[in-house]
Amino acid sequence: MQSFFGRLRSTSSVHKQNSSSAISFSEEDFKLTGSMGTVKVPEPVPSPDNDCQRLKKAFEGMGTDEEAVIWILGHRNQSQRRKIKDTYQQLYNKSLLDDLHSELSGDFRKAIILWAYDPPERDAKLARDALKAKKQGIKHLKVVVEIACASSPHHLMAVRQVYASLFDCSLEEDIASTVSLPLRKILVGLVSSYRYDRQLVDSGIAGSEASRLHEAIERKQLDDDHVVRILSTRNLFQLRATFECYKQKYGNSFDQDIKACGNGDLESLLIAVFCCIESPEKYFAKVIKNSIVGLGTDEDSLNRAIISRAEIDMIKIKEEYSKVSKSSLIDDIIGDTSRDYKNFLLTLLGERL
């Protein structure tokens, strides 16, 4: 058992029950995958061969040991998951993703397969699904905005490369063929540029481009060429300085003035662009909140937000969530999901050791 979970220590506060015995865990037995991520990896990490053997055993027999699947994949970072997939293929001449699909079901299956993908492939598939949705709406197009504006330029480039490899066309081509103007103009600009990935800010440019944005607002020409150029090419730090300058000069934030122009799809898309650039953690906290409130749960949005940000900034998202909600993210996940699906999400959120 120690080879599966790594170094295990007794503790009276955190317990996990499996089919054979109660095993106790300490926070010291795990490390976070990133400074702001919530995924916890055991120390030492079991070998990919060991993990694959455990997964294969979980699939054997009359039923699947879902708990074992959660504990292995839910406590591995993206690099480790990739090694597990490669090793599984080598050992058994089978795709781990295929076996996960055949052995699991429902929302849990969707979530864990999404988690098992490499991040660029995951986002490429999410973008494709959004663009090819039968009833494509602004909600779907915001997925493309998230990929373009809430991740690094290197990640966006990787997504574009994987997209072309998987679907034999570019992401830009699919946007052009499925999205109408003026939304097409904004989205193509966002996904086709490569932002400078350094913390470099020019206050003079921030001032002049804040004026450009305000002129477009006054004319209600939100798809103005200058707006597209500024939002799609400037680095994120420069844009945040521009947004701050805009608020100082004109009294309202840029997104407030966008809302004043109307409540159509263009305004909604640009507000998503602003929010993803200004504060991704606030944006995704609201995505999660909106996926839970009301009758029923929007599992697709919930999965996308938690799975895509668990290794990036989920600690900040949890903090922001508590500000926009009367309850904690953990409490709401527990109240709105169930069984293996709930346990898997809680594992990614660092709540199950």
Coordinates of all heavy atoms in Angstrom, one line a residue, residues 234-304:
R234 N -1.7 43.3 -26.8 CA -0.9 43.8 -25.6 C -0.7 42.7 -24.5 O -1.6 41.9 -24.3 CB -1.6 45.0 -25.0 CG -1.6 46.2 -25.9 CD -0.2 46.7 -26.3 NE -0.3 47.9 -27.1 CZ 0.8 48.4 -27.7 NH1 1.9 47.7 -27.7 NH2 0.7 49.5 -28.4
N235 N 0.4 42.7 -23.8 CA 0.6 41.8 -22.8 C -0.4 42.1 -21.6 O -0.9 43.2 -21.5 CB 2.0 41.8 -22.3 CG 2.4 42.9 -21.4 OD1 2.0 43.0 -20.2 ND2 3.2 43.8 -21.9
L236 N -0.7 41.1 -20.8 CA -1.7 41.2 -19.8 C -1.4 42.3 -18.8 O -2.3 43.0 -18.3 CB -1.9 39.9 -19.0 CG -2.3 38.7 -19.9 CD1 -2.5 37.4 -19.1 CD2 -3.5 39.0 -20.8
F237 N -0.1 42.5 -18.4 CA 0.2 43.6 -17.5 C 0.0 45.0 -18.1 O -0.5 45.9 -17.4 CB 1.7 43.4 -17.1 CG 2.0 42.1 -16.4 CD1 2.5 41.1 -17.2 CD2 1.6 41.8 -15.1 CE1 2.8 39.8 -16.7 CE2 1.9 40.6 -14.6 CZ 2.5 39.6 -15.3
Q238 N 0.3 45.1 -19.4 CA 0.0 46.4 -20.1 C -1.5 46.6 -20.1 O -1.9 47.8 -19.9 CB 0.6 46.3 -21.5 CG 0.4 47.6 -22.3 CD 1.2 48.8 -21.8 OE1 2.4 48.6 -21.5 NE2 0.5 49.9 -21.6
L239 N -2.3 45.6 -20.4 CA -3.7 45.8 -20.5 C -4.3 46.2 -19.1 O -5.2 47.0 -19.0 CB -4.4 44.5 -21.0 CG -4.2 44.3 -22.5 CD1 -4.7 42.9 -22.9 CD2 -5.0 45.4 -23.3
R240 N -3.8 45.6 -18.1 CA -4.3 45.9 -16.7 C -4.0 47.4 -16.4 O -4.8 48.1 -15.8 CB -3.8 45.0 -15.7 CG -4.3 43.6 -15.8 CD -3.6 42.5 -15.0 NE -4.0 41.2 -15.3 CZ -3.4 40.1 -15.1 NH1 -2.2 40.2 -14.5 NH2 -3.9 38.9 -15.4
A241 N -2.8 47.8 -16.8 CA -2.5 49.2 -16.6 C -3.4 50.1 -17.4 O -3.8 51.2 -17.0 CB -1.0 49.5 -17.0
T242 N -3.7 49.7 -18.6 CA -4.6 50.5 -19.5 C -6.0 50.5 -18.9 O -6.6 51.6 -18.9 CB -4.7 49.8 -20.9 OG1 -3.4 49.9 -21.5 CG2 -5.7 50.6 -21.8
F243 N -6.5 49.4 -18.4 CA -7.8 49.4 -17.7 C -7.8 50.3 -16.5 O -8.8 51.0 -16.2 CB -8.2 48.0 -17.3 CG -8.4 47.0 -18.4 CD1 -8.2 45.7 -18.3 CD2 -8.7 47.5 -19.7 CE1 -8.3 44.8 -19.3 CE2 -8.9 46.6 -20.8 CZ -8.7 45.3 -20.6
E244 N -6.7 50.3 -15.7 CA -6.7 51.2 -14.5 C -6.6 52.7 -14.9 O -7.3 53.5 -14.3 CB -5.4 50.8 -13.7 CG -5.2 51.7 -12.5 CD -6.4 51.6 -11.5 OE1 -7.0 50.5 -11.5 OE2 -6.6 52.6 -10.7
C245 N -5.9 53.0 -16.0 CA -5.8 54.3 -16.5 C -7.2 54.8 -17.0 O -7.6 55.9 -16.8 CB -4.8 54.4 -17.6 SG -4.4 56.1 -18.2
Y246 N -7.9 53.9 -17.7 CA -9.2 54.2 -18.2 C -10.1 54.6 -17.0 O -10.9 55.6 -17.1 CB -9.8 52.9 -18.9 CG -11.1 53.1 -19.6 CD1 -11.2 53.3 -20.9 CD2 -12.3 53.1 -18.8 CE1 -12.5 53.5 -21.6 CE2 -13.5 53.3 -19.4 CZ -13.6 53.5 -20.8 OH -14.8 53.7 -21.4
K247 N -10.1 53.8 -15.9 CA -11.0 54.1 -14.8 C -10.6 55.4 -14.2 O -11.5 56.2 -13.8 CB -10.9 53.0 -13.8 CG -11.8 53.1 -12.6 CD -11.8 51.9 -11.7 CE -12.8 51.9 -10.6 NZ -12.8 50.7 -9.7
Q248 N -9.3 55.7 -14.1 CA -8.9 57.0 -13.5 C -9.3 58.2 -14.3 O -9.7 59.2 -13.8 CB -7.4 57.0 -13.3 CG -6.9 56.0 -12.2 CD -5.4 56.0 -12.1 OE1 -4.7 56.6 -12.9 NE2 -4.9 55.1 -11.2
K249 N -9.2 58.0 -15.7 CA -9.5 59.1 -16.6 C -11.0 59.4 -16.7 O -11.5 60.5 -16.9 CB -8.9 58.9 -17.9 CG -7.4 59.0 -17.9 CD -6.8 58.6 -19.3 CE -7.0 59.8 -20.3 NZ -6.3 59.5 -21.5
Y250 N -11.8 58.3 -16.7 CA -13.2 58.4 -17.1 C -14.2 58.0 -16.0 O -15.4 58.1 -16.3 CB -13.5 57.6 -18.4 CG -12.6 58.0 -19.5 CD1 -11.5 57.1 -19.9 CD2 -12.6 59.2 -20.1 CE1 -10.7 57.4 -20.9 CE2 -11.8 59.6 -21.1 CZ -10.8 58.7 -21.5 OH -9.9 59.0 -22.5
G251 N -13.7 57.7 -14.9 CA -14.6 57.4 -13.7 C -15.2 56.1 -13.6 O -15.5 55.6 -12.5
N252 N -15.5 55.4 -14.7 CA -16.0 54.1 -14.7 C -15.0 53.1 -15.2 O -14.0 53.4 -15.9 CB -17.2 53.9 -15.7 CG -18.4 54.7 -15.2 OD1 -18.6 54.8 -14.0 ND2 -19.2 55.2 -16.1
S253 N -15.1 51.8 -14.8 CA -14.3 50.8 -15.4 C -14.7 50.5 -16.8 O -15.8 50.8 -17.2 CB -14.3 49.5 -14.5 OG -15.7 49.0 -14.6
F254 N -13.7 49.9 -17.6 CA -14.0 49.6 -19.0 C -15.2 48.7 -19.1 O -16.0 48.9 -20.0 CB -12.7 49.0 -19.6 CG -12.8 48.7 -21.0 CD1 -13.3 49.6 -21.9 CD2 -12.4 47.5 -21.5 CE1 -13.4 49.4 -23.3 CE2 -12.5 47.2 -22.9 CZ -13.0 48.1 -23.8
D255 N -15.3 47.7 -18.3 CA -16.5 46.8 -18.4 C -17.8 47.5 -18.1 O -18.8 47.1 -18.6 CB -16.3 45.5 -17.6 CG -16.2 45.8 -16.1 OD1 -15.6 46.8 -15.7 OD2 -16.8 45.0 -15.3
Q256 N -17.8 48.4 -17.1 CA -19.0 49.2 -16.8 C -19.5 50.0 -18.0 O -20.7 50.0 -18.3 CB -18.8 50.1 -15.7 CG -18.6 49.4 -14.3 CD -18.3 50.4 -13.2 OE1 -17.5 51.3 -13.4 NE2 -19.0 50.3 -12.1
D257 N -18.6 50.6 -18.8 CA -18.9 51.3 -19.9 C -19.4 50.4 -21.1 O -20.2 50.8 -21.9 CB -17.8 52.3 -20.4 CG -17.7 53.5 -19.5 OD1 -18.6 53.7 -18.7 OD2 -16.7 54.3 -19.6
I258 N -18.8 49.2 -21.2 CA -19.3 48.3 -22.2 C -20.7 47.9 -21.9 O -21.5 47.9 -22.8 CB -18.4 47.0 -22.1 CG1 -17.0 47.3 -22.6 CG2 -19.0 45.9 -23.0 CD1 -16.0 46.1 -22.5
K259 N -21.0 47.7 -20.6 CA -22.4 47.3 -20.3 C -23.4 48.4 -20.6 O -24.5 48.2 -21.0 CB -22.5 47.0 -18.8 CG -21.8 45.8 -18.3 CD -21.9 45.6 -16.8 CE -21.1 44.4 -16.3 NZ -21.1 44.3 -14.8
A260 N -22.9 49.7 -20.5 CA -23.8 50.8 -20.8 C -24.1 50.9 -22.3 O -25.0 51.6 -22.7 CB -23.1 52.1 -20.4
C261 N -23.3 50.2 -23.1 CA -23.5 50.3 -24.6 C -24.6 49.3 -25.0 O -25.2 49.4 -26.1 CB -22.2 49.9 -25.3 SG -20.9 51.1 -25.3
G262 N -25.0 48.4 -24.2 CA -26.1 47.4 -24.5 C -25.8 46.1 -23.8 O -24.9 45.9 -23.0
N263 N -26.7 45.2 -24.1 CA -26.6 43.8 -23.4 C -26.7 42.7 -24.5 O -27.2 41.6 -24.2 CB -27.7 43.7 -22.4 CG -29.1 43.8 -23.0 OD1 -29.3 44.1 -24.2 ND2 -30.2 43.6 -22.2
G264 N -26.1 43.0 -25.6 CA -26.0 42.0 -26.7 C -24.9 41.1 -26.6 O -24.1 41.1 -25.6
D265 N -24.7 40.2 -27.5 CA -23.6 39.2 -27.5 C -22.2 39.9 -27.6 O -21.3 39.4 -26.9 CB -23.8 38.2 -28.7 CG -24.9 37.2 -28.5 OD1 -25.4 37.2 -27.3 OD2 -25.3 36.6 -29.4
L266 N -22.1 40.9 -28.4 CA -20.8 41.6 -28.5 C -20.4 42.2 -27.1 O -19.2 42.0 -26.7 CB -20.9 42.7 -29.5 CG -19.6 43.5 -29.7 CD1 -18.4 42.6 -30.1 CD2 -19.8 44.6 -30.8
E267 N -21.3 42.8 -26.4 CA -21.0 43.4 -25.1 C -20.6 42.3 -24.1 O -19.7 42.4 -23.4 CB -22.2 44.2 -24.6 CG -22.4 45.5 -25.3 CD -23.2 45.3 -26.6 OE1 -23.7 44.2 -26.9 OE2 -23.4 46.4 -27.3
S268 N -21.4 41.2 -24.2 CA -21.2 40.1 -23.3 C -19.8 39.4 -23.5 O -19.1 39.1 -22.6 CB -22.3 39.0 -23.4 OG -22.1 38.0 -22.5
L269 N -19.4 39.3 -24.8 CA -18.1 38.7 -25.1 C -17.0 39.6 -24.7 O -16.0 39.1 -24.1 CB -18.0 38.5 -26.6 CG -16.9 37.6 -27.1 CD1 -17.1 36.2 -26.8 CD2 -16.6 37.8 -28.6
L270 N -17.1 40.9 -24.9 CA -16.0 41.8 -24.5 C -15.9 41.9 -23.0 O -14.8 42.1 -22.5 CB -16.3 43.2 -25.1 CG -16.0 43.3 -26.6 CD1 -16.4 44.7 -27.1 CD2 -14.5 43.1 -26.9
I271 N -17.0 41.8 -22.3 CA -16.9 41.8 -20.8 C -16.2 40.6 -20.3 O -15.3 40.6 -19.4 CB -18.3 41.9 -20.2 CG1 -18.9 43.3 -20.4 CG2 -18.3 41.5 -18.7 CD1 -20.4 43.4 -20.1
A272 N -16.4 39.4 -21.0 CA -15.6 38.2 -20.7 C -14.1 38.4 -21.0 O -13.3 38.0 -20.2 CB -16.2 37.0 -21.5
V273 N -13.8 39.1 -22.1 CA -12.4 39.4 -22.4 C -11.8 40.2 -21.3 O -10.7 39.9 -20.8 CB -12.3 40.1 -23.7 CG1 -10.9 40.6 -24.0 CG2 -12.7 39.2 -24.9
F274 N -12.5 41.3 -20.9 CA -12.0 42.1 -19.8 C -11.8 41.4 -18.5 O -10.7 41.5 -17.9 CB -13.0 43.3 -19.6 CG -12.7 44.1 -18.4 CD1 -11.8 45.2 -18.4 CD2 -13.3 43.8 -17.1 CE1 -11.6 45.9 -17.3 CE2 -13.1 44.5 -16.0 CZ -12.2 45.6 -16.1
C275 N -12.8 40.6 -18.1 CA -12.7 39.9 -16.9 C -11.6 38.8 -16.8 O -10.9 38.7 -15.8 CB -14.0 39.2 -16.5 SG -15.3 40.4 -16.2
C276 N -11.4 38.1 -18.0 CA -10.3 37.1 -18.0 C -8.9 37.7 -18.0 O -8.0 37.1 -17.4 CB -10.4 36.3 -19.3 SG -11.7 35.0 -19.3
I277 N -8.8 38.9 -18.5 CA -7.5 39.6 -18.5 C -7.3 40.3 -17.1 O -6.2 40.2 -16.5 CB -7.5 40.7 -19.6 CG1 -7.4 40.0 -21.0 CG2 -6.3 41.6 -19.4 CD1 -7.6 40.9 -22.2
E278 N -8.3 41.0 -16.6 CA -8.2 41.8 -15.4 C -8.0 40.9 -14.2 O -7.2 41.1 -13.3 CB -9.5 42.6 -15.2 CG -9.5 43.4 -13.9 CD -8.6 44.6 -14.0 OE1 -7.9 44.8 -15.0 OE2 -8.5 45.3 -12.9
S279 N -8.8 39.8 -14.1 CA -8.7 38.9 -12.9 C -9.3 37.6 -13.2 O -10.5 37.3 -13.0 CB -9.5 39.5 -11.7 OG -9.4 38.7 -10.6
P280 N -8.5 36.6 -13.7 CA -9.0 35.3 -14.1 C -9.6 34.6 -12.9 O -10.6 33.9 -13.0 CB -7.7 34.6 -14.5 CG -6.8 35.6 -15.0 CD -7.0 36.8 -14.1
E281 N -9.1 34.8 -11.7 CA -9.6 34.1 -10.5 C -11.0 34.6 -10.2 O -11.9 33.8 -9.8 CB -8.7 34.3 -9.3 CG -8.4 35.7 -8.9 CD -7.2 36.3 -9.6 OE1 -6.7 35.7 -10.6 OE2 -6.6 37.3 -9.0
K282 N -11.3 35.9 -10.4 CA -12.7 36.4 -10.2 C -13.6 35.8 -11.2 O -14.7 35.5 -11.0 CB -12.7 37.9 -10.2 CG -12.1 38.6 -9.0 CD -12.2 40.1 -9.0 CE -11.5 40.8 -7.9 NZ -11.6 42.2 -7.9
Y283 N -13.1 35.8 -12.5 CA -13.9 35.3 -13.6 C -14.3 33.9 -13.3 O -15.5 33.5 -13.5 CB -13.1 35.4 -14.9 CG -13.8 34.8 -16.1 CD1 -14.8 35.5 -16.8 CD2 -13.6 33.5 -16.4 CE1 -15.4 34.9 -17.9 CE2 -14.2 32.9 -17.5 CZ -15.1 33.6 -18.2 OH -15.8 33.0 -19.3
F284 N -13.4 33.0 -13.0 CA -13.7 31.6 -12.9 C -14.5 31.3 -11.6 O -15.3 30.4 -11.5 CB -12.4 30.8 -12.9 CG -11.9 30.6 -14.3 CD1 -10.8 31.3 -14.8 CD2 -12.5 29.7 -15.2 CE1 -10.3 31.1 -16.1 CE2 -12.1 29.6 -16.5 CZ -11.0 30.3 -16.9
A285 N -14.3 32.2 -10.6 CA -15.2 32.0 -9.4 C -16.6 32.2 -9.8 O -17.5 31.5 -9.3 CB -14.7 33.0 -8.3
K286 N -16.9 33.2 -10.7 CA -18.2 33.5 -11.1 C -18.8 32.4 -12.0 O -19.9 32.0 -12.0 CB -18.3 34.8 -11.8 CG -18.1 36.0 -10.9 CD -18.1 37.3 -11.6 CE -17.9 38.5 -10.6 NZ -17.9 39.8 -11.3
V287 N -17.9 31.8 -12.9 CA -18.3 30.7 -13.7 C -18.7 29.5 -12.9 O -19.8 28.9 -13.1 CB -17.1 30.3 -14.6 CG1 -17.4 28.9 -15.3 CG2 -16.8 31.3 -15.7
I288 N -18.0 29.2 -11.8 CA -18.3 28.1 -10.9 C -19.7 28.4 -10.2 O -20.5 27.6 -10.1 CB -17.2 27.8 -9.9 CG1 -16.0 27.3 -10.6 CG2 -17.7 26.8 -8.9 CD1 -14.8 27.2 -9.8
K289 N -19.8 29.7 -9.7 CA -21.0 30.0 -9.0 C -22.2 29.9 -9.9 O -23.2 29.4 -9.5 CB -20.8 31.5 -8.5 CG -22.0 31.9 -7.6 CD -22.2 31.1 -6.4 CE -23.4 31.6 -5.6 NZ -23.6 30.7 -4.4
N290 N -22.1 30.4 -11.1 CA -23.2 30.4 -12.1 C -23.6 28.9 -12.5 O -24.7 28.7 -12.8 CB -22.9 31.2 -13.3 CG -22.9 32.7 -13.0 OD1 -23.5 33.2 -12.1 ND2 -22.2 33.4 -13.9
S291 N -22.6 28.0 -12.4 CA -22.8 26.7 -12.8 C -23.6 25.9 -11.7 O -24.2 24.9 -12.0 CB -21.5 25.9 -13.1 OG -20.8 25.7 -11.9
I292 N -23.6 26.5 -10.5 CA -24.2 25.8 -9.4 C -25.6 26.4 -9.0 O -26.5 25.7 -8.6 CB -23.2 25.8 -8.1 CG1 -22.0 25.0 -8.4 CG2 -23.9 25.4 -6.9 CD1 -21.0 25.1 -7.3
V293 N -25.7 27.7 -9.1 CA -26.9 28.4 -8.6 C -28.1 27.9 -9.5 O -28.0 27.5 -10.7 CB -26.8 29.9 -8.7 CG1 -25.7 30.3 -7.7 CG2 -26.5 30.4 -10.1
G294 N -29.3 28.0 -8.9 CA -30.5 27.7 -9.7 C -30.8 26.2 -9.7 O -30.2 25.4 -9.0
L295 N -31.8 25.9 -10.5 CA -32.2 24.5 -10.6 C -31.2 23.7 -11.5 O -30.9 24.1 -12.6 CB -33.6 24.4 -11.2 CG -34.8 25.0 -10.4 CD1 -36.1 24.9 -11.1 CD2 -34.9 24.2 -9.0
G296 N -30.7 22.6 -11.0 CA -29.8 21.8 -11.7 C -28.4 22.4 -11.7 O -28.1 23.6 -11.3
T297 N -27.4 21.6 -12.2 CA -26.0 22.0 -12.2 C -25.5 22.0 -13.6 O -25.8 21.0 -14.4 CB -25.2 21.0 -11.3 OG1 -25.7 21.0 -10.0 CG2 -23.7 21.5 -11.3
D298 N -24.8 23.0 -14.0 CA -24.1 23.0 -15.3 C -22.8 22.3 -15.2 O -21.8 23.0 -14.9 CB -24.0 24.5 -15.8 CG -23.3 24.6 -17.1 OD1 -22.9 23.6 -17.7 OD2 -23.1 25.7 -17.6
E299 N -22.8 21.0 -15.3 CA -21.6 20.2 -15.1 C -20.5 20.6 -16.0 O -19.3 20.5 -15.7 CB -21.9 18.7 -15.1 CG -22.7 18.2 -14.0 CD -24.2 18.3 -14.1 OE1 -24.6 18.9 -15.2 OE2 -24.9 17.9 -13.2
D300 N -20.8 20.9 -17.3 CA -19.8 21.2 -18.3 C -19.0 22.4 -17.8 O -17.7 22.4 -17.9 CB -20.4 21.4 -19.6 CG -20.9 20.2 -20.3 OD1 -20.5 19.1 -19.9 OD2 -21.7 20.2 -21.2
S301 N -19.7 23.5 -17.4 CA -19.0 24.7 -16.9 C -18.2 24.4 -15.6 O -17.1 24.9 -15.4 CB -20.0 25.8 -16.8 OG -20.5 26.2 -18.0
L302 N -18.8 23.7 -14.7 CA -18.2 23.3 -13.5 C -16.9 22.6 -13.7 O -15.9 22.9 -13.1 CB -19.2 22.6 -12.6 CG -18.7 22.2 -11.2 CD1 -18.4 23.4 -10.4 CD2 -19.7 21.3 -10.5
N303 N -17.0 21.5 -14.6 CA -15.8 20.7 -14.9 C -14.7 21.6 -15.5 O -13.5 21.5 -15.1 CB -16.2 19.6 -15.9 CG -17.0 18.5 -15.2 OD1 -17.1 18.4 -14.0 ND2 -17.6 17.7 -16.0
R304 N -15.1 22.4 -16.5 CA -14.1 23.2 -17.2 C -13.4 24.1 -16.3 O -12.1 24.2 -16.3 CB -14.8 24.0 -18.3 CG -13.9 24.7 -19.2 CD -14.6 25.5 -20.3 NE -15.2 26.7 -19.8 CZ -16.5 26.9 -19.6 NH1 -17.4 25.9 -19.9 NH2 -17.0 28.1 -19.2

